[in-house]
Amino acid sequence: MNPDQRLDQLSRDLLDTPYAELTEVKKSVIDLIAAEAPTGLNQALVADDRTYWDRLADKVAAVGGSWAFIGGFSLCLVLWIALNLSLRPFHLAFDPYPFIFLNLILSTVAAIQAPVIMMSQNRQSTKDRLNAEHDYLVNLRAELEIMRLHAKLDALREQEMVEILRCNTETLEILKAQVERMADGRG
């Protein structure tokens, strides 16, 4: 049996579908089973192919999405407002009420932080999708391997049952012969 026929037979045995009609993921699982090779590591989790800017975006997202950032930023806002309110009577406030410069800074931080966090989330989403595809591949392979093991166990049980039946038949024939001899000897 050539390798293509073997793959087709394996595909039909496990998935009831010809190899040529399988999706690429299912073909890769059948190939791994036929080669008896391990599935391997998920390269999406192992490889860090991020650029400097990607790593920076991830760090900004990690810091910007933390309680420490919220607490520190709130403290800065309170200090900014308190300092400007306390300097107002002396006409030294650098951003007097209604804190227009503070609003500009807050708007700028929000305008920069939001797309950076979105970039990081998009990258994480891609990584999660690749991880889910790898999990599917591993789970499908495990399920197919279990099905193969069940088939092998069933074949072994059937073979064992046939052997037991053969032995029982032989024993029955021997006993039958002995009973006939005993009946002939009495009769």
Side-chain angles (χ1 to χ4, degrees):
M1 184 180 293
N2 71 32
D4 290 339
Q5 290 173 329
R6 184 169 180 252
L7 289 174
D8 195 59
Q9 185 60 45
L10 190 58
S11 172
R12 289 177 190 277
D13 290 347
L14 295 174
L15 298 170
D16 295 327
T17 307
Y19 184 79
E21 294 177 16
L22 296 177
T23 64
E24 290 304 313
V25 172
K26 289 180 180 178
K27 282 182 182 179
S28 69
V29 170
I30 295 295
D31 293 341
L32 287 169
I33 291 173
E36 296 181 1
T39 305
L41 293 173
N42 185 353
Q43 295 304 316
L45 294 177
V46 176
D48 187 9
D49 55 354
R50 299 176 301 165
T51 65
Y52 167 77
W53 297 109
D54 291 341
R55 287 192 300 278
L56 181 63
D58 290 344
K59 286 179 186 175
V60 168
V63 170
S66 69
W67 283 108
F69 175 78
I70 293 170
F73 203 69
S74 297
L75 180 64
C76 287
L77 291 175
V78 168
L79 290 175
W80 181 287
I81 292 169
L83 181 63
N84 278 290
L85 288 177
S86 63
L87 291 176
R88 186 168 186 208
F90 306 108
H91 301 292
L92 296 174
F94 55 90
D95 186 22
Y97 182 82
F99 312 113
I100 294 171
F101 187 55
L102 178 61
N103 283 322
L104 175 66
I105 290 174
L106 292 174
S107 298
T108 303
V109 167
I112 292 171
Q113 191 179 25
V116 169
I117 290 172
M118 290 291 287
M119 286 188 294
S120 181
Q121 287 176 338
N122 288 342
R123 226 178 353 277
Q124 187 61 44
S125 174
T126 300
K127 200 172 198 178
D128 290 345
R129 183 183 48 75
L130 292 172
N131 201 16
E133 287 174 5
H134 183 263
D135 288 348
Y136 172 75
L137 185 118
V138 169
N139 291 340
L140 178 61
R141 180 176 181 180
E143 184 177 349
L144 294 177
E145 291 285 4
I146 289 169
M147 288 170 55
R148 281 181 71 191
L149 286 174
H150 277 292
K152 286 180 182 179
L153 284 174
D154 290 344
L156 285 173
R157 270 195 224 120
E158 186 177 316
Q159 186 180 11
E160 188 177 320
M161 292 302 289
V162 167
E163 182 63 25
I164 289 171
L165 282 173
R166 188 188 61 74
C167 288
N168 284 347
T169 303
E170 287 177 6
T171 305
L172 201 60
E173 291 297 322
I174 292 170
L175 287 173
K176 194 173 170 184
Q178 287 176 349
V179 167
E180 285 178 4
R181 270 183 282 157
M182 288 171 50
D184 289 344
R186 275 198 215 163

